[in-house]
Amino acid sequence: ENEGTSELAMADPSSLSNPQQVKATHLHLNVKVDFSRCTIAGYVDFDVTVQDDSAKAFVLDTRDLTITSATVDGQAAAFALDAPTGCFGSKLSIPLPSSLQKKSS
């Protein structure tokens, strides 16, 4: 096995996300571009795998986004969008229900 293809053992220092705890395995992006208003609106659906049962949230990097809602398994979910942090942008945290746990291989 090539050493370069193994997964990172530690967090990415250039990201606020937590893929070592909750890994996005698939995403579906649906957007509508309004050129006259210079806006993009839409939503994204993520499939995630919990890698670490101690994970409390799915954390994503964002920049200059307005987030209006979040759902987990079809249910409305609280979320926190932190203030921007320099070049990192803003951390988006979506708490995970305790029912989501690491799946056995």
Side-chain angles (χ1 to χ4, degrees):
E1 174 180 77
N2 289 341
E3 194 172 325
T5 60
S6 64
E7 290 191 40
L8 293 174
M10 65 176 111
D12 180 348
S14 64
S15 175
L16 300 168
S17 67
N18 66 340
Q20 70 282 4
Q21 290 185 310
V22 183
K23 182 179 179 179
T25 57
H26 179 262
L27 72 85
H28 173 82
L29 180 64
N30 184 317
V31 295
K32 180 178 179 181
V33 179
D34 185 335
F35 290 103
S36 65
R37 293 185 179 166
C38 297
T39 61
I40 300 173
Y43 64 89
V44 62
D45 290 325
F46 284 96
D47 290 336
V48 303
T49 300
V50 175
Q51 306 283 91
D52 177 349
D53 283 338
S54 69
K56 303 289 185 215
F58 178 43
V59 180
L60 297 165
D61 294 308
T62 72
R63 178 170 293 281
D64 300 326
L65 297 179
T66 301
I67 311 291
T68 59
S69 66
T71 60
V72 175
D73 286 339
Q75 301 296 315
F79 65 91
L81 183 61
D82 292 356
T85 306
C87 63
F88 289 100
S90 300
K91 179 171 114 176
L92 172 63
S93 300
I94 303 167
L96 299 175
S98 58
S99 61
L100 291 180
Q101 293 185 344
K102 186 175 176 179
K103 304 297 183 212
S104 300
S105 299

